[in-house]
Amino acid sequence: MIAQQTGAGVAVSQIDVNLIFELLRLQATLDQVSNLLKQKGLDHSAPSWEEMINRRLKPYLHDKSLSTEDLLLLLREVEEHGSQHVLLYRLSRNETFGSLFDENELERRLVEAPGWPMVGEASFVNLPDKPTIVEVRRDWKEGHPSVIVKIVEKRIHKRRKGTEQDKGDLIVRYSQEVYRAVNVVRISADGLAEVRVFSHKEAASYEGEALGILHRLAPLVSVTKWESLPLNKLRNNLLDPKKRNEMKKHFKLRHTQQRDANGNRLQAAVGILSSDIYEAQGLIGSLDLFGQEKNASHCDRAAVYLQPARSNEREIAVVLHGDTNGQPNEFSIGSRISRQEYEHILQSIIKYNE
């Protein structure tokens, strides 16, 4: 069941459909909406959001070919993937989940957690006064059972408008932009936790936010059970001469920052979108020389394009953060993507971090 949560909650039919249109415009792609219409056997082409909303969605809602719940289900999926900073954690050695994944155990723990929804209940919340857990559900990740928790929050982005003098005082004026952010956690029985934090509109440190979310999930798993899963091996594997040929099959390296034990740094980046550091012999040569110094270097940051899993899919830009501009266990995805694309990114990152 999906309901709009405004205290007791109201029916789906009472949700402002224009709000759904706006949220889809912000968080989905035209292709994702088009695929929904295609699955229902409806005309699905549209060159712009205006055309999609006015020529497709509104008429289909009017003649009942499409329902408000269909659009909400699509929004629920697309808002969970992309435009996020993802921080990875793993179950600490000698720790277990206890009976979390046993039959009926999740329901039992939720009953004892005030304010949490039950499994299978999903609420639509736009701009809550405080971060709100809107959904808890079971899922699967590569054959392992998992639990997904979704949290919606209201954020305020302040944009400086200018300054003015008033009787000797300097007054700085800001405009405030209020927007909706969706954070997602998936806890898997294989010991992995993904904390997906919706990207801020200004510079932010995501570690504290991710740990705060894990603290909030204490009714399911104590935060003391988690430890960071660093992606150091993946970043270093990108430029390891012994592994480079394999890495080139899966990643296009766009930018990298190397740092040695003395803190010296070497950055390399390609200037053309279609190019690749792997194909730029001068850049590769410089990076290799820097890595051969006695104070051996490591990769502190890398920006890559991940090659698609299938020939008819697209490359996806991913940033692998490090100590100087994020956390060793952090990667970010700037674009809007599908669940299938997100799973491909995660699987590739875990595989090549070994």
Side-chain angles (χ1 to χ4, degrees):
M1 180 188 74
I2 301 175
Q4 185 178 22
Q5 184 170 312
T6 56
V10 298
V12 170
S13 59
Q14 294 178 266
I15 299 175
D16 183 357
V17 71
N18 290 315
L19 174 60
I20 300 176
F21 292 156
E22 182 59 25
L23 292 175
L24 284 172
R25 187 198 296 262
L26 291 172
Q27 296 186 261
T29 66
L30 281 173
D31 283 344
Q32 288 170 330
V33 179
S34 178
N35 287 337
L36 170 65
L37 300 181
K38 189 175 181 180
Q39 291 168 11
K40 291 183 168 294
L42 303 171
D43 290 338
H44 56 276
S45 61
S48 67
W49 275 105
E50 184 178 359
E51 292 274 306
M52 177 63 78
I53 291 171
N54 293 323
R55 293 185 56 242
R56 300 296 185 215
L57 299 184
K58 286 183 177 179
Y60 292 149
L61 287 171
H62 181 73
D63 69 14
K64 310 299 184 184
S65 301
L66 192 69
S67 70
T68 302
E69 188 159 19
D70 290 329
L71 295 180
L72 278 173
L73 289 171
L74 175 62
L75 177 62
R76 285 174 61 202
E77 179 171 339
V78 300
E79 69 186 4
E80 294 182 11
H81 308 99
S83 301
Q84 297 166 323
H85 283 243
V86 183
L87 289 90
L88 300 181
Y89 297 87
R90 61 189 167 195
L91 203 60
S92 300
R93 185 173 298 180
N94 299 325
E95 293 283 3
T96 71
F97 289 123
S99 56
L100 176 63
F101 294 100
D102 292 354
E103 185 178 4
N104 300 323
E105 176 63 16
L106 180 59
E107 286 83 353
R108 188 191 68 77
R109 296 191 188 190
L110 292 178
V111 166
E112 298 175 358
W116 284 57
M118 294 304 295
V119 176
E121 295 179 354
S123 297
F124 174 74
V125 179
N126 184 26
L127 297 171
D129 293 332
K130 60 182 180 180
T132 302
I133 297 174
V134 298
E135 183 178 3
V136 180
R137 71 176 188 268
R138 290 187 176 87
D139 195 42
W140 288 86
K141 183 181 76 68
E142 296 185 319
H144 297 283
S146 63
V147 174
I148 288 181
V149 180
K150 185 187 295 189
I151 304 169
V152 175
E153 65 176 335
K154 176 175 68 177
R155 290 186 186 162
I156 300 176
H157 173 53
K158 295 181 180 179
R159 191 186 305 275
R160 182 167 173 165
K161 294 179 65 176
T163 60
E164 61 183 61
Q165 293 280 350
D166 181 20
K167 298 178 181 180
D169 294 328
L170 181 65
I171 299 175
V172 182
R173 296 192 178 277
Y174 294 87
S175 61
Q176 292 191 145
E177 176 189 354
V178 179
Y179 65 101
R180 179 175 183 264
V182 178
N183 305 316
V184 180
V185 181
R186 178 165 63 179
I187 300 170
S188 301
D190 62 359
L192 181 70
E194 311 143 44
V195 183
R196 312 175 203 165
V197 182
F198 190 77
S199 296
H200 285 265
K201 293 182 180 292
E202 65 282 322
S205 173
Y206 289 87
E207 181 190 28
E209 197 160 347
L211 289 174
I213 291 172
L214 288 179
H215 271 285
R216 186 161 187 185
L217 269 57
L220 301 184
V221 182
S222 169
V223 71
T224 60
K225 290 179 177 284
W226 298 114
E227 63 182 22
S228 172
L229 174 57
L231 302 176
N232 301 347
K233 291 182 180 179
L234 170 59
R235 293 196 304 274
N236 289 326
N237 285 345
L238 290 168
L239 284 169
D240 187 335
K242 297 178 181 178
K243 299 182 179 180
R244 190 172 298 163
N245 287 337
E246 177 64 19
M247 302 302 284
K248 287 167 62 174
K249 298 176 184 177
H250 306 283
F251 301 93
K252 280 186 178 179
L253 185 57
R254 301 274 306 139
H255 174 273
T256 183
Q257 176 176 288
Q258 305 293 114
R259 184 173 59 163
D260 68 15
N262 291 327
N264 300 316
R265 300 178 187 174
L266 178 65
Q267 295 191 52
V270 288
I272 303 173
L273 286 177
S274 60
S275 58
D276 184 351
I277 287 178
Y278 289 131
E279 306 305 323
Q281 295 304 313
L283 292 179
I284 281 290
S286 297
L287 291 166
D288 285 344
L289 285 174
F290 187 71
Q292 291 170 7
E293 297 291 330
K294 64 178 181 179
N295 296 306
S297 68
H298 66 275
C299 181
D300 196 44
R301 181 184 190 278
V304 301
Y305 276 117
L306 179 63
Q307 299 292 343
R310 298 169 183 81
S311 59
N312 62 340
E313 296 176 349
R314 59 176 177 162
E315 299 174 340
I316 304 171
V318 179
V319 177
L320 304 167
H321 297 265
D323 293 331
T324 59
N325 72 332
Q327 295 300 315
N329 62 329
E330 178 182 349
F331 67 92
S332 60
I333 308 163
S335 57
R336 308 169 192 179
I337 59 173
S338 67
R339 169 169 178 158
Q340 184 175 330
E341 289 172 321
Y342 174 81
E343 299 294 358
H344 174 54
I345 293 170
L346 181 65
Q347 291 169 15
S348 298
I349 285 174
I350 297 299
K351 178 178 180 179
Y352 295 104
N353 191 50
E354 297 175 350

